Amino acid sequence: MMRFQKAAVAAVIAAGLALAGCGGGGNSGDTAKSAPSLVLGNIIPPATFEARNINWGNQSVYFQAVYDSLLKPSSNGKDVEPNLATQWEYNADKTVLTMKLRDDVTFTDGTAFTAEVAAQNLLRFRDGTSPQKSKVVDMADATAKDKNTLEITLKQANPAFLIYLAQAAGMQESPAAFGKPDVQTNPVGSGPYILNTGSSVVGTSYKFDKNPKYWNADAVKYDTLTINVYNDATSLLNALRGKQLDASAINDVSIIPQVKAAGFTDNGNELNFAGLMLFDRAGQSNPALGKVEVRQAINYAVDRDAFLKVVGLGFGKVTGQVFREDSPAYDQSLNDTYKFDPAKAKDLLAKAGYPNGFDLTIPTSPGFPKQMWPLLQQQLGDVGIKVSYTDVGQNIIADLQSKKYGVSYFTLQRDANEWQLISNLLAPTATWNTFKYQDPAVDALVSKIRTAEGADRDSALKELNKYVVDQAWFAPWYTPTNFFVTNAKTQVELNQGNAWPNLWNITPKA
């Protein structure tokens, strides 16, 4: 039996709320031709396979292999498509969602998928321990109206709720697996693959076999799927050079030239932002961080162009805000709010009551770019902020979520759907508002954005973005280029709403 080690990840997506419908594709039986195998490289293992507690982002590929979601995320990061749910409709105030579900789906243990099963999975996820559970904080209840009709009641409208049903919250596990001793390591879903526990090595390699009774057989492109985990860029590069992988996510862009030289295509997009996350805005872990002048000083102390060059190796674009360029919240002028100015940083520290600076502890992890640490220590040190580092290994996500550190380097996702970005980064319940900091001005704007439309919504989004920048909730440096590399026989359609491509968009090249 496999035993899981704790690991972690980031990340999330977006969607619209209009009435939708139409039938999902698929047929029953193993009628589709598929290629023999697909071998992928990843930077972290799954923390658990228990559906109610799973994460997303870099871990999503494991769960898309074994589970079906109620809806299917589109690669544009904004829309959803039919999957286990074939039709759906909101009531007038968008607080009751009614979904028609497929009636031809069974889990790999033979249990039938029904609306009652879907309702159980949703409520279990809401009440579980997933880092993504904040996505369904607005869900009051989920009930079966009949065998194939699911009704979800929301406490208030949620403009990104549909996309959450296409991600971790919508994943469906067999009710026969609930509470089983091996539920964390032996997933029972209705997805395209079945985890081969006997051939998998926990934390290192995960082997999946094609589900011979998958309801949507034409969507399964490979007979076997293997996902290997690499804790550092050197071991990943060696695996790519050795032709051991067909495709891989790349966490350290410094190896991109060597990967291309090995014959791989560097497919890239700019999904995230990188920089310092100033989580502790109330000064709980370090009183200095509760001063807006200190957070502003940290922004002024860092030369973003230098970090893009040294850490990002030029792959990306400097930014000073967390919203995407294609968002109505985006304001080009905000990128110049904190131009590199150490003297200004020192003045602000003195104004905040720290003329001699202060001590700051920042966590490090093997997955972070090593070339960053001396530069960051030097630039913050130049204005009096004395930085010490603590290596937390693979516990980085768990440590940040448990409020052990008020500041950390990280790359976080800029969702295409603004409400999802708000729910992920800014709201009091947001996954990456780790200290659950609350600001009345932000709360008022978020409340308005929840139900506003058109110009009113766009105006509130712009105001929210400016306020968060002025209050220095973050210290963004640049938007890094995310790379997913593929060999000559593999092609991919990147996901604009998640760190990993959707599994079904990694396919054999014709």
Side-chain angles (χ1 to χ4, degrees), residues 243-318:
K243 311 300 181 185
Q244 299 169 26
L245 300 173
D246 297 305
S248 180
I250 302 294
N251 192 43
D252 187 341
V253 295
S254 67
I255 68 172
I256 286 295
Q258 297 98 309
V259 172
K260 291 178 67 176
F264 286 80
T265 300
D266 57 334
N267 311 281
N269 63 1
E270 293 176 357
L271 176 68
N272 305 325
F273 72 96
L276 290 179
M277 308 301 146
L278 309 182
F279 297 123
D280 185 9
R281 299 151 199 146
Q284 296 178 38
S285 66
N286 188 326
L289 297 174
K291 301 280 190 177
V292 64
E293 296 89 354
V294 169
R295 300 195 302 272
Q296 291 170 339
I298 291 172
N299 274 271
Y300 279 115
V302 173
D303 184 348
R304 292 175 293 168
D305 290 301
F307 275 84
L308 174 58
K309 181 179 180 180
V310 173
V311 183
L313 304 182
F315 294 112
K317 183 185 299 183
V318 165

Side-chain angles (χ1 to χ4, degrees), residues 348-403:
L348 284 166
L349 288 173
K351 182 180 178 181
Y354 297 94
N356 299 315
F358 65 96
D359 295 334
L360 184 64
T361 300
I362 297 178
T364 67
S365 178
F368 292 159
K370 295 179 178 59
Q371 63 270 32
M372 166 178 57
W373 304 124
L375 180 60
L376 180 61
Q377 196 169 45
Q378 174 218 316
Q379 292 196 351
L380 292 182
D382 285 347
V383 302
I385 302 174
K386 296 170 280 294
V387 174
S388 60
Y389 296 122
T390 298
D391 186 354
V392 300
Q394 296 297 332
N395 294 320
I396 183 66
I397 301 294
D399 283 355
L400 293 180
Q401 292 291 342
S402 62
K403 303 193 292 188

Side-chain angles (χ1 to χ4, degrees), residues 301-470:
V302 173
D303 184 348
R304 292 175 293 168
D305 290 301
F307 275 84
L308 174 58
K309 181 179 180 180
V310 173
V311 183
L313 304 182
F315 294 112
K317 183 185 299 183
V318 165
T319 191
Q321 54 197 304
V322 299
F323 284 90
R324 292 158 64 127
E325 290 187 25
D326 58 359
S327 168
Y330 186 83
D331 182 347
Q332 177 68 34
S333 67
L334 292 178
N335 290 332
D336 294 328
T337 302
Y338 301 108
K339 290 185 176 180
F340 180 48
D341 191 339
K344 177 73 171 177
K346 289 180 181 179
D347 289 343
L348 284 166
L349 288 173
K351 182 180 178 181
Y354 297 94
N356 299 315
F358 65 96
D359 295 334
L360 184 64
T361 300
I362 297 178
T364 67
S365 178
F368 292 159
K370 295 179 178 59
Q371 63 270 32
M372 166 178 57
W373 304 124
L375 180 60
L376 180 61
Q377 196 169 45
Q378 174 218 316
Q379 292 196 351
L380 292 182
D382 285 347
V383 302
I385 302 174
K386 296 170 280 294
V387 174
S388 60
Y389 296 122
T390 298
D391 186 354
V392 300
Q394 296 297 332
N395 294 320
I396 183 66
I397 301 294
D399 283 355
L400 293 180
Q401 292 291 342
S402 62
K403 303 193 292 188
K404 286 188 179 180
Y405 300 95
V407 175
S408 178
Y409 165 82
F410 218 75
T411 58
L412 288 176
Q413 186 167 308
R414 302 177 303 154
D415 296 286
N417 176 295
E418 289 83 16
W419 186 257
Q420 192 173 359
L421 184 149
I422 290 168
S423 301
N424 193 40
L425 300 179
L426 307 179
T429 58
T431 302
W432 288 105
N433 183 354
T434 58
F435 281 73
K436 306 309 174 190
Y437 180 70
Q438 204 157 357
D439 182 313
V442 170
D443 290 350
L445 287 167
V446 168
S447 180
K448 182 176 181 179
I449 293 164
R450 182 186 292 275
T451 56
E453 297 179 356
D456 288 342
R457 177 178 180 272
D458 292 352
S459 176
L461 282 167
K462 270 192 164 49
E463 189 177 347
L464 175 63
N465 190 16
K466 185 178 189 310
Y467 186 83
V468 168
V469 171
D470 289 344

